[in-house]
Amino acid sequence: MPAAPSSLPPPDAAAKKAVRALSAPQKALRKLGLVRDMDLALHLPLRYEDETHITRLRDAREGDEVQIEGVVRHQEVAAGGRRQLLVTLDDGSGTCLLRFFNFYPSLMKQMAVGARLRVRGQLRSGLAGPVMLHPAVRAAGAPLPERLTPVYPATAALAQAYLRKAVQSGLARADASGQLGETVPPDLAAGMFAGLKGAAGVHPQSPPPTLREALFFLHQPPPDAPLAALQERVHPAWLRLKAEELLAQQLSQWRARQERAALAAPALHVRPDGLHEKLLAALPFALTAAQRRVSEEIARDLARPQPMHRLLQGDVGAGKTVVAALAACVAMDSGWQCALMAPTEILASQHFDKLTQWLAPLLQARGQRVAWLTGSQKKKERAAALQAIESGEAALVVGTHAVIQQQVNFARLGLAVIDEQHRFGVAQRLALRQKLAGQEPHLLMMSATPIPRTLAMSCYADLDVSTLDELPPGRTPVLTKLIASHRRGEVIERLRQQLRRGAQAYWVCPLIEESEALDLQSATQTHAELAAALPGLNVGLLHSRMPAADKKAVMDAFASGQMAALVSTTVIEVGVDVPNASLMVIEHAERFGLSQLHQLRGRVGRGSAASACVLLYEVPEGGRLGEVARERLKAMLETHDGFEIARRDLALRGPGEFLGERQSGAALLRFADLQQDEPLIEWARQAAPQMLARYPALAGQHVQRWLGARMDYLKA
Ligand code: ADP
Ligand code: MG
């Protein structure tokens, strides 16, 4: 061997070079994640076009998508008005006008008078008979395909014809090399459709098609295939693929669980006469039954020498913070540190204040303290905090995600609490775990956006979930009102009366600055306007572009009651807790998401005073509110239940909001639908542990087939 190994380029450079050598469509395939033959085989059609037969114009109806074959009788470029190419096609049973607004000389040549053409498109009625707008055109005479033509999800850089060929040959290669074999053992596959009571064309007892059968059916359906069942993805072939996908998801999450179970974590216990006991005694309220129950669930996990991964979900105002504080006490009682992270500085600083108030006196006796860590901190202050974290003097560290950045070295981190976890990205969570490699802390994630059941069952199967399903006593439900924006003046007048009586209010605006495109009321402008309309009252302004110190000053003034009204952008959306505030006005409520509206409304109704939430909405000029916007506002009027809101939100806009960044690492579910496919989710949940226990090799193959390189993200 003449060449020394060191003279070779590193492997990733070689890989980069190989990618550079790819053609543009090959690169486009890669972008879609279509690398292996199996990836191509699993790239399923969105819909189909029927090119298997020719329709005679006489038999075609208006609105039909048809393919006709005939001779060009006439061609002209009409110039009056918009330039267009008009071609008359005669198929012997009738004529049809083909109309093109975009055309090149080559197209005109192809459609010269006398040419025989096969065209396909939707038939519409025109002044002088049937018309087709921009039909697909090719020469007549080629043999007709025997199968429906699939249309695949593509990108602008990827022509359908190229993609179609790539998929068909990928499928053929995967088949030839034996990659389409069954991974799901027959005894588990047998029950796949058992929960599907009478779904279209599916008999629960009938054996599902094999993966190979299902794939060939979906990529090459016969002309008589039931198009509606395919379109709605309820055909057995679709159900088979969805079940396979859901099984892969369950398997990978079960595996993540098993891997975690093999890791070591400190076993944390409550100590008699420790912080946990002292905090409970010092709290100005008694825990609700739900708080006691979830605290016990958490304590049981913490006592195990394996890392906890638990999600604590509870509606806004359910009292998650104190549960987190109690968990932190368990860690500190056992001589370990706890880190508590929040997505915004406002929320983090509020947690810091509260936890300091509760715990600082107790920690001081032990020579320890609560440390504050954030990105906007002064260098010196940060250095001192880092020092205290490293020495262990800081038993509790509260901050934004700055806490989990590289330079932070915990002496003994035993528990990490992530508040409003859906706001944190996968990357940040990965960073947290890498940072602590070798020494796994317990992880408690908290969320005020309840995860709908089916989503919890599928995408969060690797987590344990605790639910706070009870609000602290004495809360009165928030009265919600929907008011058109032209009555804004009346709302301000009512607000003035309430504030004069000592109430406090939030006024939420969607954007910070005037944006011509969106024409939203800016917070700054609204602030000026309200300040003028409410003389003698202290009206503050809070938005995300203010320096952290200013934000804190404003929040403090509002929390202490010095400020009557707070005009704000959605920076107050998560977590902010000012129990005295009892009024919430949301401007342009029609522009907010449902969960977001629910979160915002949750800022009031936290104390004993009767609270109200006014949703100001604006109907576009000359139009009406969109369907989805109306559904959202209706839901806000109809329910206060976070789970019901979550369920409706999932129906309105899919799982994106719930998953947060969780979805971006891996398109977790491409085919299965959380609403529609619950019975298949149930099947996959039961099949996964059995498959891991009895057929571990097949389980590995199955996950590899479906998820390939995306595995890493699922563990985050
Ligand atoms: P969230 O679950 O939205 O994070 P918080 O932890 O901010 O809710 O709690 C909301 C408010 O309820 C806080 O002011 C908190 O002190 C108070 N609280 C929490 N638990 C109880 C309880 N058991 N009884 C009375 N008030 C409580
Ligand atoms: Mg909270």
Side-chain angles (χ1 to χ4, degrees), residues 46-48 226-234 238:
L46 286 173
R47 59 187 175 86
Y48 301 93
L227 279 177
L230 286 175
Q231 194 63 53
E232 288 175 12
R233 303 188 170 185
V234 293
W238 262 113

Side-chain angles (χ1 to χ4, degrees), residues 316 506 508-509 568-574 584-586 592-604 613 615 636:
V316 274
Y506 295 98
V508 178
C509 314
S568 151
T569 57
T570 54
V571 286
I572 58 145
E573 177 188 343
V574 288
M584 164 71 61
V585 181
I586 303 175
F592 290 93
L594 183 50
S595 294
Q596 207 178 9
L597 288 173
H598 180 66
Q599 290 285 325
L600 286 168
R601 180 170 60 184
R603 296 309 118 220
V604 294
C613 172
L615 303 173
M636 286 294 288

Side-chain angles (χ1 to χ4, degrees), residues 285-288 291 315-321 354 472 475 577 606:
F285 47 74
L287 295 186
T288 63
Q291 284 171 324
D315 210 345
V316 274
K320 294 182 289 296
T321 316
K354 189 161 250 177
R475 301 274 170 86
D577 181 40
R606 296 180 154 245

Side-chain angles (χ1 to χ4, degrees), residues 89-119:
L89 195 72
D90 178 351
D91 80 344
S93 78
T95 62
C96 175
L97 184 68
L98 314 181
R99 193 192 284 271
F100 299 85
F101 291 107
N102 300 314
F103 54 95
Y104 296 97
S106 58
L107 186 68
M108 295 172 66
K109 206 166 141 201
Q110 188 188 9
M111 296 195 291
V113 171
R116 274 194 73 80
L117 301 177
R118 181 181 295 170
V119 302

Side-chain angles (χ1 to χ4, degrees), residues 266-270 276 287 290-313 319-331 338 414-417 442-446 464-468:
L268 309 174
H269 296 280
V270 178
H276 189 269
L287 295 186
Q291 284 171 324
R292 274 201 305 276
R293 175 173 48 75
V294 300
S295 291
E296 276 160 24
E297 284 166 6
I298 293 167
R300 267 201 298 278
D301 280 3
L302 294 178
R304 292 199 190 103
Q306 286 95 35
M308 165 176 84
H309 271 208
R310 187 170 282 277
L311 176 67
L312 170 59
Q313 54 175 354
K320 294 182 289 296
T321 316
V322 70
V323 174
L326 288 167
C329 287
V330 179
C338 173
L415 169 67
V417 182
H442 296 279
L443 198 56
L444 176 64
M445 291 162 266
M446 308 202 288
D464 295 303
V465 179
S466 289
T467 305
L468 274 179

